[in-house]
């Protein structure tokens, strides 16, 4: 059986060696990079199942890598950083990260979070691979589920992977009211114990990009839902 592949982009050698040693003991196939440029090269060649990414790198910002990766690949991303402010955490999530671990950390926590994210990511992929509508039409919006592409009036809409997943989660349960915590759990794939404003931000972006404010609605003091009358 092929080992799960993890790419670690971390410029602090001691931390990188610790993570490599611990994760290899857990049976993972690890490759390391210490710069943004090297990390992006290895990402293309290695094709990892998960990216473990430092926030600050000598030749760039981990957030920039996070944004590039989410635009090109469908893999979970765990950010490693010394930043502990909740605003920084939200920023990382909004750039496409799936989880956020603050330094210093316990190696057992890193392993546990990686296992949880990989398990939920696999479950989400199995769900999306089940038979569903190949093409969804919502007014002037066309969704190709096989390509994960969204067009409005035949023009491609630039949605991030999280924005697409959020849209489909709401659409596939039309009429159901989701709390922000439920959306974080289902779309981001883990139990988020902090600020839920990242959901609000993604909803605002979806509404702006798709012009569907009357269908992606706010349920006051609860959360959001996709209205049933999608044929209007």
């Amino acid at each position: 059986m092929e080992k799960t592949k993890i790419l670690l982009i971390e410029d602090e050698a001691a931390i990188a060696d610790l993570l490599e040693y611990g994760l290899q003991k857990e049976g993972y196939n690890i490759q390391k990079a210490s710069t943004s440029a090297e990390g992006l090269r290895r990402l293309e060649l290695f094709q990892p199942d998960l990216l473990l990414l430092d926030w600050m790198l000598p030749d760039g910002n981990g957030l920039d890598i996070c944004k590039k990766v989410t635009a090109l690949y469908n893999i979970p991303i765990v950010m490693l950083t010394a930043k502990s402010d909740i605003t920084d955490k939200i920023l990382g999530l909004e750039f496409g990260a799936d989880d956020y671990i603050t330094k210093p950390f316990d190696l057992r926590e890193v392993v546990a979070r990686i296992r949880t994210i990989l398990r939920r990511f696999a479950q989400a992929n199995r769900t999306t691979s089940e038979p569903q509508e190949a093409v969804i039409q919502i007014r002037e919006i066309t969704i190709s589920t096989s390509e994960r592409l969204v067009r409005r009036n035949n023009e491609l809409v630039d949605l991030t992977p999280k924005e697409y997943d959020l849209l489909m989660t709401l659409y596939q349960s039309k009429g159901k009211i989701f709390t922000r915590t439920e959306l974080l759990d289902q779309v981001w794939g883990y139990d988020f114990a902090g600020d839920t404003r990242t959901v609000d931000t993604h909803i605002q972006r979806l509404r702006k990009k798709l012009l569907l404010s009357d269908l992606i609605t706010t349920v006051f003091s609860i959360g959001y839902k996709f209205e049933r009358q999608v044929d209007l």
Side-chain angles (χ1 to χ4, degrees), residues 68-93:
K68 291 177 182 177
V69 171
T70 54
L72 298 173
Y73 301 93
N74 185 31
I75 61 171
I77 301 172
V78 179
M79 298 288 292
L80 294 171
T81 179
K83 295 175 178 286
S84 59
D85 187 87
I86 187 64
T87 302
D88 294 319
K89 185 171 184 177
I90 292 170
L91 184 61
L93 295 171

Side-chain angles (χ1 to χ4, degrees), residues 38-69:
E38 181 188 4
L40 290 172
R41 286 195 299 269
R42 287 188 180 273
L43 184 73
E44 184 176 357
L45 296 172
F46 187 45
Q47 295 290 307
D49 301 296
L50 180 139
L51 175 61
L52 201 53
L53 174 63
D54 188 24
W55 183 296
M56 298 301 296
L57 294 165
D59 61 338
N61 191 314
L63 291 178
D64 294 331
I65 295 181
C66 192
K67 187 175 181 180
K68 291 177 182 177
V69 171

Side-chain angles (χ1 to χ4, degrees), residues 40-232:
L40 290 172
R41 286 195 299 269
R42 287 188 180 273
L43 184 73
E44 184 176 357
L45 296 172
F46 187 45
Q47 295 290 307
D49 301 296
L50 180 139
L51 175 61
L52 201 53
L53 174 63
D54 188 24
W55 183 296
M56 298 301 296
L57 294 165
D59 61 338
N61 191 314
L63 291 178
D64 294 331
I65 295 181
C66 192
K67 187 175 181 180
K68 291 177 182 177
V69 171
T70 54
L72 298 173
Y73 301 93
N74 185 31
I75 61 171
I77 301 172
V78 179
M79 298 288 292
L80 294 171
T81 179
K83 295 175 178 286
S84 59
D85 187 87
I86 187 64
T87 302
D88 294 319
K89 185 171 184 177
I90 292 170
L91 184 61
L93 295 171
E94 290 180 351
F95 270 71
D98 295 271
D99 204 352
Y100 184 109
I101 299 175
T102 304
K103 301 175 184 177
F105 50 77
D106 188 309
L107 185 58
R108 293 169 297 179
E109 179 189 7
V110 177
V111 171
R113 291 206 188 190
I114 286 174
R115 284 177 176 166
T116 299
I117 289 171
L118 287 171
R119 181 174 65 250
R120 293 190 176 181
F121 192 76
Q123 290 172 347
N125 282 344
R126 282 197 297 271
T127 299
T128 55
S129 66
E130 294 172 356
Q132 56 182 317
E133 299 173 71
V135 177
I136 298 170
Q137 191 71 42
I138 309 170
R139 296 178 180 164
E140 67 274 17
I141 304 296
T142 303
I143 304 171
S144 172
T145 59
S146 60
E147 300 174 291
R148 290 175 60 91
L149 295 178
V150 179
R151 293 179 173 84
R152 184 174 180 275
N153 293 325
N154 294 321
E155 294 290 331
L156 192 64
V157 180
D158 183 21
L159 294 186
T160 67
K162 286 293 184 291
E163 288 169 350
Y164 177 88
D165 291 340
L166 180 59
L167 171 63
M168 294 306 295
T169 297
L170 292 168
Y171 174 80
Q172 289 170 348
S173 297
K174 293 184 292 293
K176 172 180 168 59
I177 300 172
F178 288 92
T179 66
R180 291 168 176 81
T181 301
E182 286 174 332
L183 289 172
L184 281 168
D185 188 47
Q186 292 194 36
V187 176
W188 278 259
Y190 67 101
D191 296 320
F192 181 62
D195 199 313
T196 56
R197 285 177 295 175
T198 189
V199 173
D200 300 329
T201 300
H202 280 70
I203 290 288
Q204 290 168 11
R205 290 175 180 169
L206 272 180
R207 288 170 171 167
K208 183 176 181 180
K209 291 179 179 181
L210 301 178
L211 301 182
L212 293 178
S213 296
D214 61 325
L215 293 184
I216 303 174
T217 59
T218 302
V219 181
F220 182 70
S221 78
I222 300 177
Y224 299 98
K225 70 174 179 176
F226 200 106
E227 299 291 348
R228 290 183 181 276
Q229 56 266 37
V230 297
D231 56 337
L232 295 179

